[in-house]
Amino acid sequence: MAGCPTVQRNADGKWWQHAVFYQVYVRSFADSDADGVGDLDGIRSRLGYLELLGIDALWLTPFFTSPMADHGYDVADPRDVDPVFGDLATFDQLVAEAHERGIRVTIDLVPNHTSDQHPWFTAAIEAGPGSPERDRYFFRPGAYPPNNWTSVFGGSAWSQLPDGDWYLHLFAPEQPDLNWANPDVVADLERTLRFWLDRGVDGFRIDVAHGMAKPESLPDMDISVPEGAGILHDNAIDPRFDNDEVHEVHRMIRKVLDAYPETMAVGEIWVKDDERFARYIRPDELHLGFNFRLVAADFDADAVRTAIDSSLHAVNMAGGTPTWTLSNHDVVRHVTRYGDGELGERRARAMTLVELALPGTVYLYNGEELGLPTVELPEWALQDPIWERSGHTERGRDGSRIPVPWEGDEPSYGFSGTSSTWLPMPLEWARFTVEAQLEDEDSMLSLYRHALELRKTHAAFSGTEVEWYGAPAGCFAFRRKGGGLICALNTSAAPVPIPPGEVLLTSHPLVDGQLPPDAAVWLV
């Protein structure tokens, strides 16, 4: 902003320590060929919007060759592009054009499992019991499943073949788990890393980064672990996840990345214990670890403050950089979590200012800057394997993956040249389009653009430590030590006085100089 003191960013190449990443769920961002599914050329066509928004880097969900049993997280070839999304030439062009605009590109890495259509798994099926090909996965003989492990998607984590062997899949049966004790698996991931790094990617988001390593004896789960639990739950007593041997995998990944200057990796780490979490971001492992504590926190000042303190404590134990996020493709969007309609939107605006005021790295999810809610889809439209595998006890994640609305008054709102999008778009979404919000100073999009510009340019956002003020019940206020930014949040039912200082930005207008309920303010 004109007249703002400028932030001095680190000059040591560690750009990720302060970056704002933007997660693109590729199927749902922009469709270039009118088949109703988003693709890489669609992303290219919207790079100008992303530059205008003010993000620093992209995270692209899987676009690799896949039969799409889990919409790309079942990878058949990790070193090629699925035709539904484009081809390698398109990907190369996307990276080049993003870099020209100053936007870095990071991509998903799925090392825990492959597709059942991967050449390794089809070879294992053909080779038969006891073969070297089966040692790349977890195959076990017997009349019954080898243990009581359950799939995160519901049901048993074991499926039996006609020849009598069982194979392990912590997710869908179409996603067999790899055996990381097999050197072929290690060598193949290194080849994949170098393949994409040589094409110019700036880093990776590692799916299920607390997975991969399995105890050699494959012991039973504790009976207190609920059916379908795992990646979204505490796994302190769960042998499927967070085993010590997984850290050798991350050390290998880090060694590869260290040979490519200014590249990074962030892990999806659903580990609640601070000390266990900190192990993943030691200096020789991951650069960043996804922190889901704000995702899990209710809209309550005490709950949010606890989440912030716990997050900072966990990363400080390892000397790492904190990360913050409110939504992603696996959870209910935060607008919906915080309340219905206008209440949810108002609280989401407040939490956006809280998140962007914190030191460290921020991950946004496509569409959150438009205030998109999670949609209650009809049963006929649901595609998520969680819905199919849970016996219809869970509605799955599709409601948070609806395509992004860009312009116009009716579906597909400029997302595609067809109205038949891969997930149906609501008839009442015209007010959420980029077109409708771009010139509206009071819109959610304008709030994000203003906040991101201040975060990037104003010197008040310097400093890596937070100190807390005293505050009324239902409220908090903290200051960025170093830069001096103050952020205050009011989750109470009444207006409260704001801390002293010059107001930079509010999520909702002040009332007689006071911060109204369900609102946040930035001051210097």
Side-chain angles (χ1 to χ4, degrees):
M1 295 189 63
C4 289
T6 302
V7 172
Q8 296 299 313
R9 295 304 191 190
N10 28 344
D12 57 4
K14 297 180 180 178
W15 56 272
W16 56 86
Q17 292 182 334
H18 54 77
V20 174
F21 286 77
Y22 186 90
Q23 179 192 356
V24 170
Y25 193 75
V26 178
R27 297 180 67 86
S28 296
F29 192 65
D31 171 23
S32 70
D33 58 4
D35 65 354
V37 179
D39 48 48
L40 298 180
D41 267 332
I43 300 170
R44 284 183 52 235
S45 73
R46 299 296 183 176
L47 286 174
Y49 166 76
L50 295 170
E51 184 178 19
L52 183 71
L53 181 60
I55 55 97
D56 301 299
L58 295 177
W59 153 30
L60 306 182
T61 57
F63 50 83
F64 317 115
T65 306
S66 169
M68 303 295 168
D70 189 19
H71 293 316
Y73 283 95
D74 51 317
V75 181
D77 185 348
R79 296 182 287 274
D80 203 356
V81 176
D82 194 280
V84 76
F85 300 128
D87 54 27
L88 284 170
T90 306
F91 176 81
D92 292 342
Q93 191 172 2
L94 170 59
V95 172
E97 292 181 15
H99 285 171
E100 288 173 2
R101 294 178 180 271
I103 299 173
R104 300 184 189 257
V105 179
T106 66
I107 66 175
D108 247 311
L109 196 68
V110 188
N112 180 74
H113 47 264
T114 71
S115 165
D116 63 350
Q117 301 303 306
H118 190 286
W120 278 4
F121 195 75
T122 56
I125 299 299
E126 294 172 1
S131 62
E133 288 82 356
R134 292 202 174 185
D135 188 58
R136 293 167 174 159
Y137 297 90
F138 290 90
F139 284 89
R140 297 291 186 272
Y144 302 99
N147 61 29
N148 69 351
W149 291 7
T150 57
S151 163
V152 172
F153 289 172
S156 175
W158 296 93
S159 288
Q160 191 174 31
L161 299 174
D163 60 29
D165 264 7
W166 300 81
Y167 70 89
L168 176 67
H169 52 86
L170 293 186
F171 296 88
E174 297 88 352
Q175 295 168 292
D177 279 52
L178 287 163
N179 174 17
W180 273 87
N182 187 301
D184 290 351
V185 175
V186 178
D188 192 67
L189 181 68
E190 180 173 348
R191 181 183 171 199
T192 296
L193 289 166
R194 295 186 185 279
F195 178 87
W196 294 109
L197 290 166
D198 288 339
R199 302 192 91 89
V201 305
D202 300 287
F204 301 92
R205 176 264 190 184
I206 301 176
D207 186 58
V208 197
H210 62 309
M212 295 174 280
K214 311 296 191 296
E216 186 175 357
S217 62
L218 301 179
D220 279 349
M221 296 166 56
D222 190 291
I223 59 173
S224 66
V225 177
E227 168 80 14
I231 193 169
L232 306 182
H233 299 267
D234 189 358
N235 40 62
I237 56 172
D238 187 343
R240 299 173 300 170
F241 297 102
D242 192 30
N243 291 286
D244 288 345
E245 293 78 11
V246 75
H247 297 285
E248 289 302 316
V249 179
H250 294 305
R251 290 188 184 98
M252 181 276 287
I253 292 171
R254 182 58 177 263
K255 287 179 181 177
V256 174
L257 290 171
D258 283 348
Y260 293 80
E262 298 193 27
T263 60
M264 51 75 68
V266 58
E268 180 193 29
I269 308 167
W270 290 94
V271 174
K272 292 185 177 180
D273 180 80
D274 288 351
E275 185 173 355
R276 299 291 298 182
F277 182 93
R279 291 161 60 96
Y280 288 85
I281 53 172
R282 290 177 288 194
D284 62 343
E285 295 193 37
L286 297 170
H287 301 82
L288 299 171
F290 263 118
N291 161 33
F292 300 106
R293 288 166 172 82
L294 286 182
V295 172
D298 293 332
F299 186 78
D300 170 82
D302 290 340
V304 174
R305 176 172 175 169
T306 297
I308 293 170
D309 280 338
S310 176
S311 303
L312 293 173
H313 177 254
V315 297
N316 287 339
M317 293 175 71
T321 299
T323 66
W324 312 99
T325 192
L326 296 171
S327 287
N328 63 42
H329 65 296
D330 284 329
V331 302
V332 174
R333 287 184 178 272
H334 57 280
V335 166
T336 301
R337 293 201 312 270
Y338 293 148
D340 294 330
E342 292 184 7
L343 178 63
E345 291 179 19
R346 178 164 169 154
R347 290 175 170 178
R349 290 171 67 95
M351 284 301 298
T352 295
L353 293 198
V354 172
E355 176 187 42
L356 291 175
L358 291 163
T361 306
V362 173
Y363 278 84
L364 308 179
Y365 175 44
N366 63 210
E368 74 169 75
E369 78 280 9
L370 304 176
L372 299 186
T374 290
V375 176
E376 188 77 7
L377 289 168
E379 292 187 7
W380 62 262
L382 297 175
Q383 301 185 32
D384 189 352
I386 290 180
W387 165 254
E388 300 168 2
R389 296 264 303 158
S390 67
H392 295 183
T393 59
E394 294 185 46
R395 294 193 66 82
R397 302 161 293 182
D398 292 324
S400 298
R401 301 174 175 183
I402 306 300
V404 171
W406 293 96
E407 60 198 18
D409 297 323
E410 58 186 28
S412 66
Y413 305 106
F415 165 77
S416 175
T418 176
S419 60
S420 300
T421 52
W422 79 277
L423 289 173
M425 302 178 72
L427 295 175
E428 65 275 11
W429 266 23
R431 73 182 184 94
F432 289 119
T433 66
V434 172
E435 180 183 53
Q437 297 193 44
L438 196 57
E439 301 301 328
D440 179 359
E441 293 183 357
D442 297 323
S443 70
M444 185 77 82
L445 177 57
S446 291
L447 178 72
Y448 270 79
R449 289 182 61 200
H450 194 177
L452 289 171
E453 185 177 11
L454 283 169
R455 187 182 188 273
K456 183 176 292 188
T457 61
H458 202 290
F461 291 81
S462 299
T464 59
E465 296 182 54
V466 164
E467 62 178 1
W468 296 95
Y469 287 81
C475 306
F476 67 57
F478 64 80
R479 184 174 73 91
R480 287 275 293 270
K481 295 178 68 174
L485 175 76
I486 299 168
C487 178
L489 173 70
N490 181 9
T491 67
S492 75
V496 297
I498 62 175
E502 175 190 350
V503 173
L504 277 182
L505 187 61
T506 63
S507 66
H508 194 81
L510 301 180
V511 177
D512 297 326
Q514 294 191 318
L515 186 63
D518 305 316
V521 60
W522 286 351
L523 308 104
V524 292

